Amino acid sequence: MAEAGPKKPRDPFIAPLDGPQLRGFFRRLHARPWAEQQAFVARVNWNLVDPGTEYHLMSWLAMQLESSEPERQAFALATLGKLPHFKRGRHAERFKRLMPRLDTDLATRLAEAFGPVLGGPPKRPKGKPAAAPKVASVDDLSKLKDFFGKFGGAR
């Protein structure tokens, strides 16, 4: 019996699918029930997606926005809202062409998900809201004057 050598670690990255394979994959994805489609797209690591797959996934999200089912629309908007700006920005033109076909509420929410690229408000980082600037007291100003006085004064 031949002795097996050390096991070669399996490479998690495979070559991207070619055009016909990619179209076949997404054709089979569209044939699946909605829950399976949603579960698959929710698990996608968008940082590892090649450009061809990203294009097809964005097409899938656009198709969900055009659906009349609010659950699908909400899922697509939530997914778009989580994507890094540069991923959304590459496909902004496609979603801009889609906006006139959507109802006004959905178009507004899509613009909010994309930010200024589609006319929405700027995306703010999550966390504490910006604090309003406070007026400096006389004590604060005297501390600043003393600090700068130690180093030759303000120039």
Side-chain angles (χ1 to χ4, degrees), residues 112-127:
E112 288 172 2
F114 267 83
V117 170
L118 288 185
K123 305 276 285 177
R124 298 284 180 223
K126 292 184 175 31

Side-chain angles (χ1 to χ4, degrees), residues 71-145:
E71 177 189 2
R72 290 178 183 227
Q73 294 170 347
F75 176 76
L77 287 171
T79 302
L80 286 167
K82 291 178 191 174
L83 293 180
H85 177 72
F86 67 94
K87 293 276 186 185
R88 286 188 311 257
R90 281 189 267 205
H91 303 277
E93 200 57 41
R94 173 190 299 177
F95 286 94
K96 186 181 283 188
R97 288 190 306 265
L98 177 69
M99 288 181 74
R101 295 192 303 251
L102 303 175
D103 65 69
T104 55
D105 178 52
L106 186 58
T108 302
R109 292 187 300 163
L110 179 61
E112 288 172 2
F114 267 83
V117 170
L118 288 185
K123 305 276 285 177
R124 298 284 180 223
K126 292 184 175 31
K128 290 192 253 179
K134 67 175 194 168
V135 178
S137 67
V138 174
D139 186 45
D140 292 336
L141 293 174
S142 66
K143 286 180 186 176
L144 277 173
K145 185 176 180 183

